[in-house]
Amino acid sequence: MSFKKYLKEQLAFLYYNFYHKHTTQIGNRILIYHAIGSKLAHDSYGISITKERFLEHMQFLKEQYTIIALDEHYEDKLDTNTLCITFDDGYKDNLYALEVCQMYGIPFTLYITTGTIGQKDYLNAQDIRLFAKSSICTLGTHGATHTRLAMLSYEKQEDELRKSKQTLEDIIGKKVLHVSYPHGSYNADTIDLIGKIGYNIASSSHIGFNTKENVDLRRLKRIEIIASDDIQNLERKILGYYDYLAFKEKNLTEHKS
Ligand SMILES: [Zn+2]
């Protein structure tokens, strides 16, 4: 283990056991998955987790938590402790996730980068219609080109958000109301645009817990699950061990804007 990782884990342990554990928050935790089982050329971080581990995670989550759909009624469901499952990017191997989640009756939201639809390692239009047909799946966009939105002009952002919405709607024949920000990147223009374009709910990559008091439907907090997350670490992420990282993030966001 690298020293950085060791330090991160020590801080997480201290933060959770001496502070977070003693706060009584009721609300929803959203998990982010990406690929399952595929060896991706650009994956140096571990965004592709093995099929075995994914199955193990879903079995564990189904047994231990109440998993709810991240849909239009999300805000009304924050008075109990719940969990949401999301997938970013739209990898081909998410068909396996559909199979597993269908088997266990686990609702999930899939955010698709529309520019990569049909490319190697990514879902094609026919696959996407399978997800759209399933009652457990909610579909959303994840940009057209997976560009960091905060780096783009207002016009270019509008283009990304509109085009991706239109493309996905054309494929599934239904309105698309959900979006997640590529790389978690957004700024004040993005927030302005999503309402204007007709998105109802947007997911960010800010780490944290969504409660009735803090919920922001234009930047829902989520936490990423990666290949090295065994059941113990998955549980720690849900419990809030890593929520201290939000303090660091906040400073970064403020610095950027
Ligand atoms: Zn992404």
Side-chain angles (χ1 to χ4, degrees), residues 34 88-89 113 142 146 181-183:
H34 289 88
D88 277 5
D89 300 348
T113 303
H142 189 53
H146 206 269
Y181 305 131
H183 307 280

Side-chain angles (χ1 to χ4, degrees), residues 155-185:
E155 292 70 29
K156 288 236 168 75
Q157 284 201 46
E158 179 159 15
D159 209 41
E160 281 280 329
L161 293 163
R162 260 191 215 287
K163 262 195 193 151
S164 52
K165 190 171 188 288
Q166 192 58 55
T167 306
L168 194 55
E169 287 178 350
D170 289 347
I171 291 172
I172 66 171
K174 278 192 262 186
K175 280 265 168 260
V176 172
L177 306 169
H178 302 261
V179 59
S180 80
Y181 305 131
H183 307 280
S185 163

Side-chain angles (χ1 to χ4, degrees), residues 40-53:
L40 304 168
H42 61 269
D43 185 14
S44 54
Y45 182 57
I47 62 163
S48 181
I49 83 167
T50 65
K51 279 181 153 187
E52 294 73 25
R53 182 152 271 179

Side-chain angles (χ1 to χ4, degrees), residues 31-220:
L31 308 181
I32 315 173
Y33 286 91
H34 289 88
I36 302 133
S38 294
K39 285 203 168 50
L40 304 168
H42 61 269
D43 185 14
S44 54
Y45 182 57
I47 62 163
S48 181
I49 83 167
T50 65
K51 279 181 153 187
E52 294 73 25
R53 182 152 271 179
F54 180 74
L55 183 63
E56 195 190 2
H57 280 193
M58 292 306 120
Q59 285 168 337
F60 170 77
L61 296 178
K62 180 70 188 174
E63 265 173 37
Q64 301 292 326
Y65 299 91
T66 305
I67 308 172
I68 60 163
L70 204 183
D71 59 15
E72 292 75 85
H73 310 290
Y74 179 78
E75 219 178 349
D76 308 325
K77 297 186 274 195
L78 293 170
D79 42 17
T80 53
N81 271 323
T82 57
L83 202 68
C84 285
I85 314 278
T86 67
F87 296 85
D88 277 5
D89 300 348
Y91 292 106
K92 184 86 176 175
D93 62 24
N94 286 186
L95 284 164
Y96 177 70
L98 177 64
E99 203 182 298
V100 171
C101 290
Q102 249 161 358
M103 187 161 73
Y104 291 105
I106 296 175
F108 65 91
T109 298
L110 169 63
Y111 298 107
I112 295 169
T113 303
T114 56
T116 43
I117 292 173
Q119 288 183 14
K120 187 183 175 288
D121 294 329
Y122 293 90
L123 296 165
N124 62 33
Q126 205 181 339
D127 300 328
I128 293 168
R129 282 192 280 271
L130 273 180
F131 284 88
K133 256 194 248 161
S134 170
S135 60
I136 58 165
C137 177
T138 304
L139 287 170
T141 61
H142 189 53
T145 63
H146 206 269
T147 309
R148 289 171 198 274
L149 293 172
M151 309 274 282
L152 302 177
S153 66
Y154 190 90
E155 292 70 29
K156 288 236 168 75
Q157 284 201 46
E158 179 159 15
D159 209 41
E160 281 280 329
L161 293 163
R162 260 191 215 287
K163 262 195 193 151
S164 52
K165 190 171 188 288
Q166 192 58 55
T167 306
L168 194 55
E169 287 178 350
D170 289 347
I171 291 172
I172 66 171
K174 278 192 262 186
K175 280 265 168 260
V176 172
L177 306 169
H178 302 261
V179 59
S180 80
Y181 305 131
H183 307 280
S185 163
Y186 70 92
N187 60 17
D189 289 345
T190 327
I191 300 296
D192 179 51
L193 278 164
I194 56 163
K196 199 172 124 187
I197 294 172
Y199 287 108
N200 283 356
I201 299 186
S203 287
S204 75
S205 303
H206 293 307
I207 293 175
F209 198 56
N210 301 289
T211 67
K212 253 200 155 78
E213 293 71 37
N214 76 13
V215 68
D216 183 344
L217 295 180
R218 293 179 179 189
R219 54 195 128 198
L220 289 180

